[in-house]
Amino acid sequence: MVEEVVTVDMPVSEKIVIRKNRIMSAKLSDDAKRLSIVTGIHGDELDGQYICYELNRRIKEHVELLNGIVDIYPAVNPLGIESCTRGMPMFDLDMNRVFPGMENGATAEYLASKIVNDIIGSDMCVDLHSSNIFIKEVPQVRVFDQFKDKLMPYAELMNADFIWEYRINTVLEATLANSLNHLGVPTLVIEMGVGNKVERRYGDQIIEGIFNLMIELGMWKADKTTVRKPMISSEGSITVIHARVTGLFMAAFDDGILKKVEMGEHIGDIVEPLTGRLLHRVEAPCSGTVFTFREYPVVYEGAILCRIFGGGVHE
Amino acid sequence: MNKKELYTLKGFHREDFTITGYSFGSGDKAACIVGAIRGNEYQQMYICSQLIRILGELEERGQITSNNEILVVPCLNHYSVNVQKRFWAMDNSDINRRFPGIHGGDTTQNIAAELFDSIKGYSYGIQFTSFYMPGDFIPHVRMMETGHQSPSLANLFGLPYVVIRKPKPLDTTTLNYNWQMNGTCAFSIYSNCSDYIDDVSARQAVASVLRFLTRMGIIKYYNHSGYIAHVLDEDELMAVKTDTAGLYRGLKKPSDPVFRGDIIGEVIDPYEGEVINQIISPTEGIIFFAHTAPTVMENNVVYRIIRRLHE
Ligand SMILES: [Zn+2]
């Protein structure tokens, strides 16, 4: 059943409408659980669009297996998605910096508060993000260390390749996930792929994780599946390679994600189109597994090229 | 006057990105003044350019007090100005949300960090800045309530208002906040606009900085003593919102007095031309902020009013 969570009139003949689709089992027991799947806070992150579609489709196909309520919010920032903009296009404002919002605040804060209030009451929430257009990320769960005791058991169910325990900074306090965690709804942040694109295999991987989570929560009547055993950031070290110089980054391999590299291995070259010069040969400063890799080839000095996870790798 | 490169980033096919600073006098780091960080902060850059011109003249006439150095950075982000983007042209990141920066971080974190090295350590930091919503303000000095703020010093600019803001999470990465955390007494000056140049308001902003520098003993300059500021907490400003979306006609400007029940704006049906909503002032007071865009959404803040204040 499609419901309108909040609407706001725009100047000319149109409303901002944030919708959700609620799928319920025929019978709801007293202890029936409710899972919320949220995506599209950032308009340039589209993997969640596919995941919402496929999750809807698969649950409806076997709705007899469902026990509880699944709420799917495919577009928290609908204007951003339809204008290829990360934030809210009219304010150039990152919507994931205004939560939990304010009922009587400015438009973004008003929308945020309505969304948060609608999600409250869920037993669990999954907030789906993609990376931006510049770097590609392995499917991963991001867990703020403040909530890790509560969230890690769930994070490990998600069929992700990596779990990144984050030290929260003040700016991230105003994210949807952090606000919900504070308000008592355990919320997992999933990050994957690259901006403006759907990577179907990553989507399928995370959908397996969501079903696995539902099985664990008693919301999906099926046998437990085996999921990937993720690398966990706290069990190893993260090394970031930044561009030393401005230029065009030509990767040494097609898809760097999950590539195992040795210390000193060639990662790519930064070159100069105007003169044909090789400006910098990029080599791995350590051995490990690549979980972030440059997607957009034009780099200024300082741009992130690659992140490598070393140690604690599960084979 | 000493023109210097504070930071350079090599361009790809564009010319190199260089941040230019102008220093006046020498000795103790007395005051640092920063202009446009966003690409549409034309007024802010203009104000700084006028300050640079005048400070240059004062220096030639020996009117910078000895053992004081003033640094003015008119524009931190000409890459964005030149392509008419508000934020960093490549990745749309806001440099004024990147402080104190990260050395060896990504590009804008690195720009913020390198630049912060050049502009920190001054006794006073003054930033000309803009608001994220389109609209005009009463010119004012804004301070963040960090525990290090001093409204009595903000008063020395002689602008009519000083506003104290409780920092939200988003504010902790601004230049103003990080200056204060680093021991610089920081002020943000909101001129009435950003996207266009308003000479009257620019002259007022320039005069306010010269007045402040004079009162702090950094320059010798003879100018009008300005206002004794009205200090207010941002939360005291009353927001007036629209009920209806449409084309918008504002009827009041910043500094205008209003009375309870006054019609202060109108929303017009964008297709049929009828006035579909009148904005009524809920209070008496002085207009502090007025929305200027030609359209409004439902629940748009169109005014902020200083309640019960009289001219
Ligand atoms: Zn995101």
Side-chain angles (χ1 to χ4, degrees), chain A residues 60-264:
Chain A
K60 285 182 185 164
E61 196 173 58
H62 289 289
V63 76
E64 72 281 0
L65 300 178
L66 180 65
N67 174 32
I69 301 172
V70 179
D71 282 334
I72 298 178
Y73 302 73
V76 170
N77 176 16
L79 300 179
I81 294 174
E82 292 186 41
S83 58
C84 232
T85 313
R86 181 173 181 78
M88 285 188 79
M90 53 285 218
F91 310 122
D92 232 337
L93 179 79
D94 186 337
M95 250 193 115
N96 214 17
R97 302 287 180 272
V98 298
F99 287 96
M102 261 196 311
E103 174 88 38
N104 60 0
T107 308
E109 291 173 313
Y110 172 73
L111 294 171
S113 86
K114 288 289 189 185
I115 292 160
V116 164
N117 284 328
D118 202 76
I119 296 172
I120 284 177
S122 304
D123 296 281
M124 188 87 210
C125 179
V126 178
D127 180 17
L128 301 166
H129 290 257
S130 303
S131 179
N132 52 37
I133 62 169
F134 301 101
I135 53 177
K136 187 172 187 176
E137 296 279 4
V138 76
Q140 59 195 269
V141 188
R142 297 204 171 159
V143 172
F144 295 138
D145 57 4
Q146 189 185 354
F147 299 107
K148 73 174 182 206
D149 292 345
K150 193 164 192 183
L151 296 179
M152 279 306 273
Y154 296 112
E156 288 174 6
L157 301 171
M158 294 308 295
N159 202 29
D161 293 289
F162 187 52
I163 298 177
W164 196 341
E165 292 173 11
Y166 249 61
R167 172 79 55 76
I168 191 162
N169 64 33
T170 319
V171 172
L172 295 178
E173 284 173 12
T175 61
L176 173 65
N178 187 59
S179 302
L180 287 172
N181 277 312
H182 272 285
L183 292 165
V185 181
T187 302
L188 297 172
V189 176
I190 310 282
E191 185 90 32
M192 78 200 88
V194 60
N196 288 349
K197 211 171 169 177
V198 171
E199 187 93 25
R200 182 191 278 255
R201 65 196 166 110
Y202 289 169
D204 289 335
Q205 180 181 337
I206 293 304
I207 288 166
E208 290 313 311
I210 294 173
F211 276 105
N212 190 47
L213 174 70
M214 286 167 59
I215 292 168
E216 194 71 28
L217 293 172
M219 296 181 68
W220 193 251
K221 288 169 261 175
D223 293 334
K224 264 188 76 70
T225 48
T226 34
V227 291
R228 295 172 189 226
K229 193 137 177 57
M231 303 175 276
I232 297 174
S233 62
S234 59
E235 294 175 0
S237 57
I238 292 171
T239 304
V240 188
I241 308 177
H242 293 276
R244 291 256 196 92
V245 294
T246 295
L248 183 74
F249 176 67
M250 296 302 295
F253 22 75
D254 276 346
D255 187 358
I257 294 296
L258 285 179
K259 186 172 170 57
K260 304 244 187 304
V261 293
E262 296 299 325
M263 185 161 150

Side-chain angles (χ1 to χ4, degrees), chain A residues 7-13 16 90-93 97 102 104-107 109-110 134 170-171 173-174 242 246-248 271-273 296 298 300-304, chain B residues 8-14 79 86-88 90-92 104-107 110 132-133 168-170 172-173 241 245-247 270-271 295-301:
Chain A
T7 70
V8 173
D9 283 345
M10 287 195 283
V12 187
S13 207
I16 302 176
M90 53 285 218
F91 310 122
D92 232 337
L93 179 79
R97 302 287 180 272
M102 261 196 311
N104 60 0
T107 308
E109 291 173 313
Y110 172 73
F134 301 101
T170 319
V171 172
E173 284 173 12
H242 293 276
T246 295
L248 183 74
V271 301
E272 190 170 66
Y296 192 75
V298 175
Y300 284 130
E301 181 191 323
I304 291 179
Chain B
T8 301
L9 173 73
K10 189 155 175 350
F12 183 45
H13 294 294
R14 292 183 76 167
Y79 256 25
R86 183 162 154 82
F87 299 135
W88 184 245
M90 176 73 98
D91 63 6
N92 209 39
D106 72 25
T107 308
N110 202 42
Y132 80 96
M133 293 206 287
K168 293 186 177 177
L170 206 55
T172 57
T173 49
K241 294 180 164 194
L247 294 174
Y271 288 170
T295 59
V296 283
M297 302 209 299
E298 178 190 353
N299 266 319
N300 229 158
V301 174

